[in-house]
Amino acid sequence: MLSQSTYKEYLKVTIPFMLSTATQPLLGAVNTAVMGHMSEAFYIAAVSLGVILFNNIYWLFGFLRVSTTSFSAQALGSESAKDKFLALARPLLIAIVISLIFLIIYPWIFKYYALLMKPESQVVELMKNYCDIIIWGAPFVLINYVTLGWLMGQMIIRYTMFMQISMNVLNIILSIVFVFIMDMNIQGVAYASLIAQIYGCIVGFIAIYKRGNLIICSEYIQSLKTLQPFLAMMKVNVDLMFRIVCLLTINNLFAIAGASMGTVTLASNAIILEIIFIVVYFIDGMANGVSVFSGKAKGYKDINLLNSVLKISLRCLAVFIIFISVIMYITKSYFINMMTDLAIVANYANDYSIYLILHPICACVGLLLYGMYTGIGNTASIRNMMFVAVIFFYICQKILMSYLGNDGIWLTYNLTYLLESIILILYLPSLKKYFN
């Protein structure tokens, strides 16, 4: 392992991660846009609330992807066939158990979610039609988290890209066909997502079979009967789960505040968020690359490599943010109008389009450093940061919303992510202890 990373090495890994990761919010944006061209704003609101519900469910166990990437990368570095197998098999078993539990308790989850969000009755009915179909994709989504994380950790970049991009492109195509050609309305969007999730699961296992060089033997399988490693794996991810719970709390408070101001506000905010997510997921893809390099730096106890990765990633991030800010400033109204042809929704969203530029600037450093902290295994700092952030969001939103309305909601959202970036910067000196 070189003690210094280069831009070429960094970009070779990071750019494919950015491109493949960014297709996920693009999917959500297309689904929102498809519903945005229906006759009423109820369709946008129903899909956005349904997406938030399943993001709540899936993001809660997003550590399956993050931790699997870490364990897989460590196994790659140790060149242990057994560790490579267990890095895949253990989280797969956990994913299957979790998804089965979701299938059982889904009726209660939907009931209490609808009571919490309190949307209009038409929105609840449409949301139920969407969610009753999407729930069957839970096993495939969580399994996809594991297979994707394992492929990323093994640096199987080409298949990682193909899996994510092809799955989301298929979803987009099916959404358009089912809704506009087959006239399936909101059910069409749901079935498109379900089919794409099944397809992604199949592609993931094919990639592992062809490129994973995975060895399966009775000795390795016997190791799966030991409970302690599973408990240790879950313990490692408690901090990551706490972060996700805090993120979900912030997102739900944001959505509840928007819903309290009416369906048009809820729909407009959903459009702005979908566009923001595209940019944020590009940064998240960059963070995935940082996580892989940081994990390897820790494995080799090479602080010079970590410092090199930090400098290179921050410089690349700065270039990306400047570029995307200019693009957003020029095209923000165009993107919003692509998302819906309902004039009242589009005009309202345009009034708050400045946040399309502000949010990536506020959030970018924190998102990038999250990848570094998780790669090293310093999840305690992430936990502490999120604890402060969720308290700040709750208090700040109460104050600003009462004075500034929807602007207060958006300012709180952006200030919270800026605070997260600042806290993680302050924690940077603590990373040195992981290399002693």
Side-chain angles (χ1 to χ4, degrees), residues 88 92 140-141 143-152 156 158-164 166-167 196-214:
L88 175 65
L92 270 180
F140 303 103
V141 171
I143 289 173
N144 287 342
Y145 281 174
V146 174
T147 56
L148 180 63
W150 191 87
L151 290 168
M152 291 171 65
I156 304 175
R158 190 171 300 175
Y159 275 90
T160 300
M161 284 188 64
F162 179 78
M163 177 183 173
Q164 287 188 281
S166 64
M167 178 174 65
Q197 288 157 2
I198 296 172
Y199 163 83
C201 188
I202 295 171
V203 170
F205 282 116
I206 291 175
I208 291 171
Y209 174 76
K210 287 191 172 183
R211 292 295 305 277
N213 297 320
L214 200 63

Side-chain angles (χ1 to χ4, degrees), residues 13 48-49 89 103 114 139 145 175 189 202 236 272 283 287 294 390 395 400 409 421:
V13 173
S48 66
L49 288 178
L103 290 174
Y145 281 174
S175 292
V189 172
I202 295 171
V236 167
I272 296 174
I283 303 173
S294 300
V390 75
I395 296 174
L400 293 183
I409 299 173
S421 297

Side-chain angles (χ1 to χ4, degrees), residues 110 124-134 186-187 190:
F110 181 87
V124 174
E125 182 179 354
L126 289 170
M127 183 173 66
K128 189 174 189 304
N129 292 337
Y130 176 83
C131 294
D132 285 354
I133 298 169
I134 286 294
I186 200 166
Q187 290 94 335

